[in-house]
Amino acid sequence: MAMAVAQHRVSTSGSSSINKHLDASGKYVRYTAEQVEALERVYAECPKPSSLRRQQLIRECPILSNIEPKQIKVWFQNRRCREKQRKESSRLQTVNRKLSAMNKLLMEENDRLQKQVSQLVCENGYMRQQLHTVNASATDASCDSVVTTPQHSLRDPTNPAGLLSIAEETLAEFLSKATGTAVDWVQMPGMKPGPDSVGIFAISQSCSGVAARACGLVSLEPTKIAEILKDRPSWLRDCRNLEVFTMFPAGSGGTIELVYTQMFAPTTLAPARDFWTLRYTTTLENGSFVVCERSLSGSGAGPSTAAAAQFVRAEVLPSGYLIRPCEGGGSIIHIVDHLNLEAWSVPEVLRPLYESSKVIAQKMTIAALRYVKQIAQETSGEVVYSMGRQPAVLRTFSQRLSRGFNDAINGFNDDGWSIMNCDGNEDVIIAINSSKSFSCTSSPNNALPFVGGVLCAKASMLLQNVPPAVLVRFLREHRSEWADFNVDAYTAASLKAGTYAYPGMRPTRFTGSQIIMPLGHTIEHEEILEVIRLEGHSLVQEDAFVSRDIHLLQICSGIDENAVGACSELVFAPIDEMFPDDAPLIPSGFRIIPLESKPSDTQDSLTTNRTLDLTSSLEVGPATNHSSGDVPSSQNSRSVLTIAFQFPFDSSLQDNVATMARQYVRSVISSVQRVAMAISPSGLSADVGPKLSPGSPEALTLAQWICQSYRQVASVFVNLGAELLGSESLGSDSILKNLWQHQDAILCCSLKSLPVFIFANQAGLDMLETTLVSLQDITLDKIFDEPGRKALCSDFAKLMQQVKLARSFRKILTAQELVES
């Protein structure tokens, strides 16, 4: 107790008593300046020295010879206590500054909402008075009358005075959206503001176009934030190119720029967008920094028509960034994105993607605020990544993976892409790029001289009642369920050696093991960068002991099921084991984008009883109603899945690689169909009613998959019985119903480190006392004890080995029969 009291008294005495300390007996011990300096040097090297180190210190420093070891121990304890208090004080001051700024931001938001309420009350009273007048709508001061782009004629781009009036008008409209009541903002679903949140997010309600707004606190200076956000391709993954054509100086040190921006299309089913805008950068009287932007005119302005041939001209309504400096450092930033994406130009089923403010909020507004916060944390040293990689290098890897994947999906002609002749089926598109080069930014000598180029096989499909986050997590964690190890080996060998091993590759066996090594993640873990190691071994006897491991660089995003409107992606590219910072990348992967449902969707036949459907035959045109005999549930959720895989090839092997790529992508599609049917939370529920269609191709595929797997296992263990269902049931349309109502419990597992349940029939759910939705949350550690888990894992391994041996034995017997015949 005396020790505790002494430490408290010393720690609260402050820096003024740095040379006066208490020993273990409660007596003050005075230290000279030389003694304190010697102790501080040791503390800098080792804050908690051992008793041997303290005794060694006394022997090495004669000036400490008159101090007992116990006294030196107490000095180090007090020193650590003061250091801890100093850090805690600094942390609390930082938190206090953040909370003060956030409180100011919330008060401003509250004032804005109060003004909006007052304005609505006044408008309501005014409309009541003018209810019987013919011109009431002309005097309506609602959202549309404020935010609609004025129809001014295109002024001469070389006339700064002409464009300045447009810039000032844009600034006024942008500020009315950022801090005023020009738009009826509502809180973004699922994103409540708080001390630990990134910011405050809102989306528009009942106004023209789609709009989103964000505001938050960032520990960077306003000019730095503006510089980051103006470089849109560095943080907006959907931005293909941004080019400033003209720049004029404006008052108050501002600038006016004419900007042409190209955006990637998110899927193969829709054309890309471009914008021709005026961007105005200026400083307000209160010291705030503003960057605002709007479209100048329609599709006839901007670059030449040839440059924008593959794009649909969209419109930017007054948008931008308002950045205000904070007392004590940092800035408060307001972001507004207001667009008209011309939804008429896409298939009707995809129009919710272009009419959703939630999607714009996730892809642009929230992404911008998260990015500047990420830069701020990296600048302050709060982010530390593994494997010795700098944050900027890891960000570059993520951007290159995403951009390469977008390039493959879009296949722009000016990048050298062209479509190959198809075999009549339009489900998989084959595109080639003979001019594709993979030169490295810093080491041109490492460029891979592909003689043929790169081939891309891509396809898109609709998903019904399949959570995108769940599907992406499954594809990430169970790669062996859909991927072919030999295809990965072909691409990896092409990148590593610059040669092509197809056909005639050395056969390789995938051991089924994949190791995920994390590299880094964003501040809210919405995107993860990692290295995947796939373990493989050669099947050739002379190379039996040679490792055939493959390494993939991979980004995974959108795996949070609660993120409204978020896009889920899994993009990967083969890399060398010791990949350099400028390693060439050929990305492939999956993208799943949720589509918001509308009341009119209940009449759309595409949402009835098909879980997946290729959408290559969709047509663009005005909205039409489709009649259907089935009545879908109002809880149906849809999303669009886009798959793109790239393969390097030699010119002499182009046809072979194209055939292999088409077959491989079709096999991946088939695997995704099985997985999607298995993880669909409503596809197999007993209370589904009309939504369950036992005769659908997907239901038959799932049921036949289960029966075939059981048959293969039963052929090894005779006592299990040869068939799960009778032969009369296998040919019936009610196969899934019979499987669901089977008297025995049927559980389907996917094997990784432990078996994971992915499907169970009604008897299986009753046995586990759970539901189909909650089945995936049940793990074996909740069912078995430790001996049971070990026995089950051992049995699984033996079972899989026996199944493999039985398959090999059947192949030998078949070959022998052929020889005898």
Side-chain angles (χ1 to χ4, degrees), residues 393-398 401 517-522 527-531 553-556:
V393 175
L394 299 181
R395 282 202 314 273
T396 302
F397 274 127
S398 299
L401 282 173
M517 298 173 285
L519 284 178
H521 55 78
T522 51
E527 181 178 283
I528 303 171
L529 179 66
E530 55 199 8
V531 173
L553 184 65
Q554 178 173 279
I555 55 173
C556 181

Side-chain angles (χ1 to χ4, degrees), residues 619-749:
E619 297 181 357
V620 177
T624 56
N625 291 331
H626 304 273
S627 61
S628 175
D630 296 329
V631 180
S633 170
S634 60
Q635 298 180 352
N636 280 346
S637 62
R638 293 181 301 175
S639 55
V640 57
L641 166 65
T642 298
I643 303 175
F645 286 82
Q646 298 190 78
F647 307 90
F649 68 92
D650 186 85
S651 56
S652 61
L653 301 175
Q654 175 177 319
D655 294 338
N656 293 334
V657 176
T659 302
M660 179 267 292
R662 183 180 288 109
Q663 294 176 351
Y664 180 58
V665 169
R666 286 174 179 166
S667 70
V668 172
I669 290 174
S670 178
S671 300
V672 171
Q673 287 177 340
R674 294 195 302 266
V675 171
M677 193 66 188
I679 68 176
S680 176
S682 59
L684 300 172
S685 179
D687 59 351
V688 168
K691 289 189 295 181
L692 178 61
S693 179
S696 64
E698 293 79 18
L700 292 174
T701 300
L702 174 65
Q704 292 171 357
W705 184 32
I706 295 175
C707 294
Q708 181 182 1
S709 299
Y710 182 87
R711 190 183 307 115
Q712 292 175 351
V713 176
S715 64
V716 181
F717 301 95
V718 182
N719 59 333
L720 290 179
E723 296 290 347
L724 185 62
L725 299 176
S727 58
E728 67 279 359
S729 300
L730 293 177
S732 172
D733 289 341
S734 60
I735 177 174
L736 183 61
K737 182 179 179 181
N738 294 332
L739 194 66
W740 176 257
Q741 298 176 352
H742 199 281
Q743 61 180 357
D744 296 329
I746 301 174
L747 303 176
C748 295
C749 299

Side-chain angles (χ1 to χ4, degrees), residues 289-307:
F289 205 85
V290 178
V291 181
C292 56
E293 190 172 8
R294 83 164 339 136
S295 289
L296 279 177
S297 65
S299 59
S304 63
T305 307

